Amino acid sequence: MWQNIKDFAADFFVTGDPLIYGADVAIVLTMSAIVFVLTYFKKWKWLWTEWLTTVDHKRIGIMYVIASLLMLFRGGMDALLMRTQLVMPEMEFLSPEHYNEIFTTHGVIMILFMAMPLMFGLFNLVVPLQIGARDVAFPFLNSLSFWLFFAGAMLFNISFVIGGSPNAGWLAYPPLSGTMFNPGVGQDFYIWGIQISGIGSLATGINFIVTILKMRAPGMKLMKMPMFSWSVLGSCLAIILAFPILTVTLALSFIDRYFGAHFFTLDGGGNPMMYINLIWMWGHPEVYIVVLPAFGIFSEIVATFARKKLFGYKSMVFAIMAISVVSFITWAHHFFTMGSGADVNAFFAVSTMIIAIPTGVKVFNWIFTMFKGKVSFETPMLWTVLGFIPCFVVGGMTGVMLSVAPADFQFHNSYFLIAHFHQTLIGGVVFGYIAGLVYWWPKVFGFKLNEKLGKWSFWFWNIGFYVCFMPQYVVGLMGMTRRVSTYSWDSGWWGLNLVSTIGGFLMGAGFLIMVWQILHSIKFMERDTTGDPWNGRTLEWSIPSPAPMYNFARTPVVEHLDDWWEKKQRKAKGEPEKPLAPLEPIHMPKNSGIPIIMSGFWFLAGFGLVFDWLWMAIPGFLGVFACMFAHSFNYDTDYYIPVDEIERTEAAARGTV
């Protein structure tokens, strides 16, 4: 009996690696500390009623941001482990198998469990406020989307201590990801972790499209809508077209592994190229799904800190929507070298080059917006002007180089590609979302982040970025291919890899300073009582900070683009303000525990299928259906906030009591 338990534990838990044992101890200590603190301070009920069951889009946004920062820490640690392994030739810090697992999980976590939730967090925190809405279109679905993401992320993340991590790369090409070459459970964690969170992502895309199209304030026609909300609309349209492809691809991959089908393996009549086409039909739009909202963030920040209207608003809208469409006809540039033929390669080369045109339009618009503006360089502007623009221009130019099919035969699969990919995604997405987080932080929490520490973090991040990735362009041209876990002394790659690793640790220091900045600001920064600390232009700055539960006491009526800025200008000229409409009771949704419970059942079903435990998977799916049934017959889903409570809340928020 005891021997059977020991044998099971040896197979079930990952053993034999000191790094994993260290992670085990850290997880146990962290979980114990959380349980102790919640119990000691009697916060379990508060946690359940105020956060875990909330349908308030702002609190859901905060939970997305916290989860994404934790994932940034996990993915960043993976990156530093890889850079440590590559710092010198013939290193034995990580075994080749462990290295494969780490670069696989690093890619998946950074794209799907860091960038996507950080993006959804900003959607939730900003979009309803910016369009003058009191909530998203489907609050219950919004909560369910978050918990599905969280369940998928946890299912994927536990694989490194239970069962074993996936190791076939972040896109899991067959046949390497098939059972013949990958018989462990890591690939099944990959399939179900992404599948469950992907359902949540698709639901979020639908939710925000409906929110933006149907819940804008009276008078806010589409061409009076703030640029960030336009970028969210473009991103969500791409989500609802791209993510069903991912869902089907993962489902077919599961059928291959679980039932022995051969959709993607040659030995049964399938075709690995079908998988590669499908995964990149999702994968390439995915890059633009996460970068488009960053373009909206930069537009808001540049206009605010230049004290000018955004130059070329209509062309910017056209550029964003054009990118969301053209991104769907560029996927084959990821495999020019796989024998598609000259005509096919030429088509995808040209379509890839075309997408650089609307991208370039935006960069010129931001520069012209700053021209003759009263530009100030607070931290959000630093991330935009000195962080993003030069970084993304270089990333875009190297992208055009990679889009030239004959040249790509040289660059393909090299570290040149790695450098380009990170330059585009870190420069475009990470820098953008950090800029957005710092910019909207006062609106969410009621105080600004410390500027001095923010600038220290910015410079560590940026200097570290160039020190890390510029050498990778060179070492790629020297012949170093990606996914290698070690190299020899006579390759000539040592010096550049050493410099690159130093840059990686500088970026890690930038992240730690950012965490310090947040903690320091929570303790020492003064509360913002204006609601408009940046002298903003759009509706979210017209209400108190942090925003009340109902967002707007009175539904705003929009007359202009940058309506809040225009109102302030008229007031400064002494024009009389229009009389306020009387307050009315506000209709709001009630909290619900069903989303978190249903996601728990999804986790149970996914975990059961990973280990082929139908005794666990079937109850998991039954639980999912039971939750759907319970919600379908729940008619007690809303309530009204009375006028006197609104008056008290407004008075407290504006400091008049």
Side-chain angles (χ1 to χ4, degrees):
M1 178 67 177
W2 176 240
Q3 186 58 42
N4 289 338
I5 294 174
K6 285 170 60 178
D7 291 342
F8 170 77
D11 291 335
F12 188 68
F13 294 106
V14 178
T15 57
D17 189 322
L19 290 173
I20 301 296
Y21 290 139
D24 290 336
V25 172
I27 291 170
V28 171
L29 290 177
T30 303
M31 297 299 295
S32 301
I34 292 172
V35 170
F36 173 77
V37 169
L38 289 172
T39 306
Y40 184 80
F41 291 102
K42 300 178 180 176
K43 291 293 184 181
W44 285 105
K45 184 179 180 183
W46 165 83
L47 182 66
W48 176 259
T49 56
E50 297 294 322
W51 290 95
L52 301 184
T53 59
T54 185
V55 294
D56 182 343
H57 65 91
K58 299 177 288 295
R59 294 194 171 190
I60 290 172
I62 291 170
M63 291 194 290
Y64 267 122
V65 170
I66 293 172
S68 65
L69 291 179
L70 290 174
M71 291 297 101
L72 179 59
F73 174 76
R74 161 78 203 276
M77 288 300 296
D78 284 345
L80 293 181
L81 290 173
M82 285 189 286
R83 287 313 320 168
T84 303
Q85 169 63 23
L86 294 173
V87 67
M88 291 179 66
E90 300 174 6
M91 280 283 284
E92 296 181 356
F93 176 64
L94 297 173
S95 67
E97 293 77 17
H98 197 177
Y99 188 87
N100 286 349
E101 293 172 352
I102 286 179
F103 80 68
T104 298
T105 52
H106 168 75
V108 174
I109 286 172
M110 286 303 203
I111 294 288
L112 291 168
F113 300 130
M114 188 284 289
M116 289 289 283
L118 192 48
M119 177 180 81
F120 290 150
L122 290 170
F123 287 9
N124 274 280
L125 294 174
V126 178
V127 170
L129 302 181
Q130 205 167 56
I131 64 173
R134 291 216 168 92
D135 208 329
V136 296
F138 308 113
F140 176 89
L141 186 64
N142 197 30
S143 173
L144 180 60
S145 299
F146 169 76
W147 287 113
L148 285 173
F149 144 73
F150 192 77
M154 291 302 102
L155 188 61
F156 182 86
N157 272 273
I158 62 170
S159 64
F160 87 105
V161 291
I162 295 176
S165 296
N167 58 7
W170 82 279
L171 288 174
Y173 287 172
L176 185 58
S177 59
T179 50
M180 178 180 290
F181 299 106
N182 214 318
V185 296
Q187 209 52 42
D188 300 296
F189 273 118
Y190 173 95
I191 290 171
W192 284 102
I194 296 176
Q195 190 72 292
I196 293 171
S197 67
I199 296 170
S201 300
L202 184 59
T204 300
I206 295 168
N207 208 343
F208 276 87
I209 288 174
V210 179
T211 300
I212 291 171
L213 293 181
K214 302 296 290 184
M215 297 185 69
R216 298 190 311 280
M220 184 181 278
K221 296 179 180 177
L222 281 175
M223 293 311 286
K224 291 180 183 175
M225 193 164 69
M227 191 51 63
F228 178 67
S229 294
W230 262 113
S231 69
V232 173
L233 180 61
S235 176
C236 289
L237 288 171
I239 285 174
I240 64 168
L241 294 175
F243 269 74
I245 302 173
L246 176 66
T247 302
V248 170
T249 307
L250 291 173
L252 294 177
S253 183
F254 169 71
I255 292 171
D256 269 9
R257 288 182 61 85
Y258 198 82
F259 296 105
H262 294 282
F263 290 108
F264 302 135
T265 48
L266 287 172
D267 52 350
N271 189 345
M273 282 304 297
M274 183 167 72
Y275 179 91
I276 294 172
N277 273 284
L278 286 171
I279 201 72
W280 279 114
M281 287 171 73
W282 160 79
H284 196 78
E286 168 66 11
V287 174
Y288 290 96
I289 285 169
V290 292
V291 83
L292 278 175
F295 294 158
I297 293 169
F298 295 130
S299 301
E300 302 289 348
I301 289 173
V302 168
T304 297
F305 291 98
R307 307 287 183 261
K308 282 179 63 184
K309 274 190 175 179
L310 184 68
F311 181 89
Y313 172 84
K314 291 182 179 177
S315 64
M316 192 73 93
V317 171
F318 172 77
I320 284 175
M321 301 311 288
I323 289 171
S324 70
V325 173
V326 179
S327 67
F328 280 91
I329 53 172
T330 60
W331 79 87
H333 70 217
H334 291 276
F335 39 95
F336 280 145
T337 58
M338 292 193 182
S340 302
D343 293 339
V344 173
N345 280 356
F347 173 83
F348 283 98
V350 171
S351 63
T352 304
M353 294 174 195
I354 286 174
I355 210 166
I357 297 172
T359 305
V361 166
K362 293 195 300 303
V363 174
F364 283 113
N365 281 352
W366 293 320
I367 292 172
F368 285 132
T369 302
M370 289 185 283
F371 181 65
K372 291 189 176 180
K374 297 176 182 176
V375 181
S376 58
F377 283 92
E378 281 88 346
T379 313
M381 196 63 166
L382 281 183
W383 284 103
T384 302
V385 178
L386 299 183
F388 162 71
I389 291 180
C391 188
F392 201 75
V393 167
V394 175
M397 290 168 63
T398 52
V400 173
M401 290 172 67
L402 286 162
S403 73
V404 180
D408 188 67
F409 276 67
Q410 175 66 29
F411 304 136
H412 187 79
N413 231 18
S414 73
Y415 255 78
F416 187 94
L417 177 64
I418 298 297
H420 158 74
F421 184 74
H422 284 83
Q423 182 126 31
T424 307
L425 281 177
I426 293 179
V429 178
V430 178
F431 288 3
Y433 292 172
I434 292 177
L437 203 56
V438 177
Y439 178 62
W440 280 301
W441 188 278
K443 181 51 58 187
V444 178
F445 296 103
F447 60 90
K448 290 167 72 173
L449 289 173
N450 183 283
E451 275 285 310
K452 185 177 179 181
L453 289 173
K455 288 174 180 173
W456 274 103
S457 174
F458 167 80
W459 286 113
F460 267 90
W461 263 100
N462 274 266
I463 294 171
F465 175 84
Y466 287 100
V467 173
C468 183
F469 292 104
M470 292 301 108
Q472 293 184 15
Y473 282 116
V474 181
V475 81
L477 293 176
M478 292 170 66
M480 182 171 173
T481 57
R482 57 179 171 170
R483 303 188 182 107
V484 294
S485 63
T486 189
Y487 50 91
S488 61
W489 283 98
D490 58 1
S491 62
W493 302 338
W494 173 53
L496 291 167
N497 274 294
L498 173 64
V499 173
S500 182
T501 300
I502 293 171
F505 278 90
L506 287 175
M507 293 171 70
F511 174 78
L512 292 178
I513 296 172
M514 190 171 73
V515 174
W516 180 22
Q517 177 196 18
I518 293 172
L519 297 176
H520 180 278
S521 302
I522 290 173
K523 185 169 184 181
F524 294 108
M525 295 304 285
E526 293 182 3
R527 184 190 168 196
D528 168 52
T529 56
T530 66
D532 188 12
W534 305 119
N535 195 11
R537 309 178 70 85
T538 42
L539 284 180
E540 71 269 29
W541 304 110
S542 67
I543 57 176
S545 300
M549 179 192 303
Y550 45 77
N551 295 349
F552 296 89
R554 298 173 180 84
T555 301
V557 178
V558 174
E559 298 174 338
H560 305 277
L561 178 65
D562 293 344
D563 196 69
W564 174 236
W565 175 264
E566 296 293 337
K567 281 189 171 71
K568 287 190 291 186
Q569 298 305 305
R570 290 200 297 272
K571 185 177 180 181
K573 292 176 183 174
E575 294 182 18
E577 295 185 55
K578 294 182 179 178
L580 295 175
L583 289 172
E584 295 179 354
I586 296 175
H587 181 229
M588 297 296 291
K590 279 186 176 177
N591 287 2
S592 174
I594 292 178
I596 186 173
I597 295 172
M598 188 192 294
S599 300
F601 281 119
W602 268 109
F603 181 92
L604 203 65
F607 195 85
L609 288 171
V610 165
F611 284 94
D612 196 11
W613 294 343
L614 293 181
W615 58 267
M616 180 183 286
I618 291 173
F621 283 118
L622 290 175
V624 171
F625 287 114
C627 288
M628 295 168 68
F629 186 81
H631 181 63
S632 299
F633 292 93
N634 177 22
Y635 301 107
D636 184 21
T637 58
D638 52 4
Y639 70 105
Y640 281 87
I641 302 176
V643 170
D644 57 344
E645 185 178 337
I646 300 169
E647 289 174 339
R648 285 197 303 273
T649 304
E650 288 292 301
R654 296 180 187 278
T656 56
V657 292

